[in-house]
């Protein structure tokens, strides 16, 4: 019989959070955008899709459920738009990935930031009805550092500095907004929150490891293909930037309830099966793994672009590491034995009892989704659960 600890996230077989949207949900969102259906009609379709998704997650043997991010267009911007003092805005250019560009949308300030009455609270309440003793509902949101960097994209910088001439004041208000949101989310029943954070995955790429945050100086241009590049630098020292992002994240989650499990997911971009950055975790390991105050790290390790496992030696305390060894970008199924061997390799740096397995990222970080079928998606999850049952038998 499984112990209660088995049902404390992260789980031996885990997922990052987003799933491919069914065709009928894509159609409903398009109809809503064209003014052909009302918001309540779209919500009814979303409710149906999420309900069906939860059934599939439970049937797959997962102990964590998400809403697949089905009510969102983006993994990060929809959350930012739900904060007070933030608006949806257009850019002259979208995020640039490897050979592809996203829709040119962003989050821009209209005033001081606060976090009360966020729409994601109601979204989570809908998911809570499917909770069971051994089924934990999880909410995924962008990390505070991700929001901080978004506000310093070139076309956002002026509005950000209009309301926040001081970066310290901005970090303080972002932290306060997140703290308000976390308290309201906890009151709604959430006990597992995941902070998705591309800032670290971008920082380790030597092409632009300091890009993304505006200093109180003139911006400098570069030619990197970064999904979150603001074409500005805060310093010539990657450690200074790491310290700033650590401050943003740790301040925001300070004071969170002790039984709220907060984890973070670090990746290098995930849009229509493309990526944005390469590089191992070593440059930021001591800061991210040693000092960020989270319970677990969901880490991309499905390709050589993420480097080797040696930086995991910096993971402090009893924190857990969820190895993202199964790709969510491709439909081809990984070799089971190869994945098991890589888990064993990681035990050179982290004990097996502190390791878990997951997909490397979500299957649809944006509503467009990755280039695989729903059948391939569920085959990936089945592989994760099969391997977990073999590596960590009950």
């Amino acid at each position: 019989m499984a112990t209660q600890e088995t049902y404390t996230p992260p789980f031996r077989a885990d997922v990052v959070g987003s799933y491919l949207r069914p065709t009928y949900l894509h159609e409903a969102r398009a109809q809503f955008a064209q003014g052909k259906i009302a918001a309540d009609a779209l919500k009814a379709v979303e409710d149906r899709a999420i309900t069906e998704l939860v059934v599939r997650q439970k049937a797959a043997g997962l102990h964590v459920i998400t809403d697949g991010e089905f009510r969102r267009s983006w993994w990060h911007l929809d959350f930012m738009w739900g904060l007070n003092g933030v608006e949806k805005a257009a850019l002259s250019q979208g995020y640039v990935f490897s050979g592809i560009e996203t829709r040119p949308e962003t989050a821009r300030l209209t005033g001081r930031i606060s976090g009360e009455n966020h729409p994601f609270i109601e979204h989570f309440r809908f998911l809570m009805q499917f909770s069971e003793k051994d089924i934990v509902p999880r909410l995924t949101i962008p990390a505070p550092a991700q929001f901080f960097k978004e506000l310093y994209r070139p076309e956002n910088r002026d509005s950000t500095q209009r309301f926040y001439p001081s970066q310290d004041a901005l970090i303080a208000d972002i932290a306060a907004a997140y703290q308000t949101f976390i308290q309201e989310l906890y009151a709604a029943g959430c006990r597992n929150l995941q902070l998705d954070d591309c800032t670290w995955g971008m920082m380790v790429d030597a092409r632009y490891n300091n890009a993304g945050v505006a200093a109180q100086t003139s911006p400098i241009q570069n030619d990197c293909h970064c999904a979150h590049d603001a074409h500005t630098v805060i310093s010539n020292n990657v450690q200074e930037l790491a310290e700033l992002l650590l401050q943003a994240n740790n301040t925001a989650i300070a004071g969170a309830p002790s039984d709220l499990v907060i984890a973070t997911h670090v990746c290098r971009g995930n849009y229509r099966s493309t990526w944005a950055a390469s590089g191992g975790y070593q440059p930021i390991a001591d800061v991210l793994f040693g000092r960020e105050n989270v319970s677990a790290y969901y880490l991309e390790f499905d390709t050589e672009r993420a480097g080797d496992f040696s930086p995991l030696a910096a993971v402090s305390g009893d924190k857990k590491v969820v190895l993202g060894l199964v790709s969510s970008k491709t439909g081809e199924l990984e070799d089971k034995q190869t994945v098991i061997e890589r888990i064993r390799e990681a035990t050179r740096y982290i004990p097996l009892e502190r390791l878990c397995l997951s997909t490397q990222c979500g299957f649809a970080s944006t509503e467009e989704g990755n280039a695989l079928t729903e059948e391939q998606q569920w085959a990936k999850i089945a592989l994760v659960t099969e391997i977990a049952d073999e590596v960590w038998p009950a």
Side-chain angles (χ1 to χ4, degrees):
M1 175 178 290
T3 65
Q4 181 61 40
E5 185 177 358
T6 303
Y7 305 129
T8 300
F11 302 97
R12 299 304 189 191
D14 217 308
V15 292
V16 172
S18 65
Y19 290 84
L20 297 172
R21 277 67 159 170
T23 300
Y24 69 83
L25 178 55
H26 282 296
E27 293 172 347
R29 288 183 65 87
Q31 290 171 342
F32 176 73
Q34 296 163 9
K36 295 180 179 179
I37 63 173
D40 57 349
L42 174 60
K43 181 181 182 301
V45 176
E46 292 170 341
D47 289 352
R48 170 193 164 191
I50 292 167
T51 300
E52 292 174 354
L53 174 65
V54 169
V55 171
R56 290 295 301 268
Q57 290 175 90
K58 291 181 178 181
L62 296 172
H63 291 294
V64 62
I65 56 173
T66 76
D67 65 4
E69 302 178 8
F70 280 4
R71 303 188 198 275
R72 310 184 204 178
S73 179
W74 301 83
W75 64 275
H76 61 323
L77 293 179
D78 293 72
F79 176 82
M80 299 174 192
W81 296 332
L83 295 167
N84 300 301
V86 182
E87 68 175 355
K88 179 178 180 178
L91 293 170
S92 58
Q93 182 184 32
Y95 305 116
V96 179
F97 279 71
S98 179
I100 194 170
E101 182 181 329
T102 71
R103 287 169 279 127
E105 297 177 343
T106 188
R108 186 170 297 151
L109 293 187
T110 60
R112 299 292 291 258
I113 303 163
S114 65
E116 64 273 9
N117 302 317
H118 197 288
F120 276 27
I121 303 298
E122 286 303 316
H123 296 176
F124 186 80
R125 286 197 177 103
F126 181 84
L127 185 65
M128 269 299 297
Q129 68 181 298
F130 303 109
S131 175
E132 300 177 23
K133 179 182 178 182
D134 61 343
I135 302 293
V136 178
R138 172 183 298 157
L139 184 68
T140 62
I141 63 172
Q146 194 75 50
F147 181 38
F148 179 72
K149 288 188 71 176
E150 187 70 27
L151 296 179
Y152 282 116
R153 287 174 63 83
E155 293 171 72
N156 293 339
R157 187 176 62 249
D158 287 347
S159 62
T160 298
Q161 293 182 334
R162 183 182 315 124
F163 298 106
Y164 293 99
S166 161
Q167 286 186 338
D168 287 341
L170 176 60
I171 289 176
D173 272 12
I174 289 175
Y178 270 75
Q179 289 167 0
T180 296
F181 175 81
I182 288 171
Q183 291 298 328
E184 292 186 9
L185 183 66
Y186 184 85
C190 184
R191 297 298 180 269
N192 185 197
L193 178 64
Q194 178 179 302
L195 304 177
D196 293 329
D197 198 344
C198 286
T199 62
W200 306 95
M202 301 302 158
M203 205 174 356
V204 297
D205 193 313
R207 294 172 301 171
Y208 44 84
N209 57 20
N210 286 343
V213 181
Q216 306 303 317
T217 59
S218 300
I220 63 173
Q221 299 295 322
N222 66 40
D223 60 358
C224 72
H225 299 291
C226 176
H228 302 277
D229 175 28
H231 294 168
T232 58
V233 295
I234 186 168
S235 74
N236 292 321
N237 187 340
V238 67
Q239 292 304 315
E240 286 187 30
L241 178 56
E243 292 289 344
L244 188 65
L245 300 182
L246 179 75
Q247 177 190 353
N249 287 342
N250 278 350
T251 306
I253 61 177
S258 60
D259 61 338
L260 174 63
V261 176
I262 300 179
T264 190
H265 164 60
V266 178
C267 88
R268 290 154 180 75
N270 186 53
Y271 177 72
R272 288 187 167 182
S273 292
T274 62
W275 53 273
S278 298
Y281 297 94
Q282 196 63 54
I284 44 83
D286 288 343
V287 176
L288 175 63
F289 296 155
R291 295 166 51 206
E292 184 159 293
N293 297 328
V294 293
S295 298
Y297 301 92
Y298 289 73
L299 301 177
E300 174 183 325
F301 274 116
D302 62 319
T303 71
E304 62 182 14
R305 288 188 300 101
D308 63 20
F309 294 124
S310 60
L312 298 182
V315 176
S316 59
D318 60 355
K319 297 174 184 176
K320 294 183 178 181
V321 171
V322 186
L323 301 173
L325 295 171
V326 176
S327 176
S328 68
K329 297 182 186 293
T330 66
E332 181 181 359
L333 207 58
E334 285 78 0
D335 177 73
K336 175 181 173 181
Q337 193 56 41
T338 299
V339 175
I340 291 174
E341 290 172 359
R342 295 207 67 202
I343 295 172
R344 300 298 183 191
E345 181 184 348
T347 63
R348 294 172 55 191
Y349 307 100
I350 296 283
L352 184 63
E353 60 269 21
R354 287 170 53 203
L355 291 174
C356 301
L357 177 66
S358 76
T359 50
Q360 132 273 340
C361 195
F363 291 97
S365 297
T366 67
E367 61 182 313
E368 290 88 350
N370 283 345
L372 70 167
T373 66
E374 288 190 56
E375 291 74 18
Q376 290 171 324
Q377 167 185 265
W378 292 107
K380 294 274 184 171
I381 292 172
L383 179 64
V384 169
T385 58
E386 180 182 350
I387 292 173
D389 287 344
E390 182 170 329
V391 174
W392 297 279

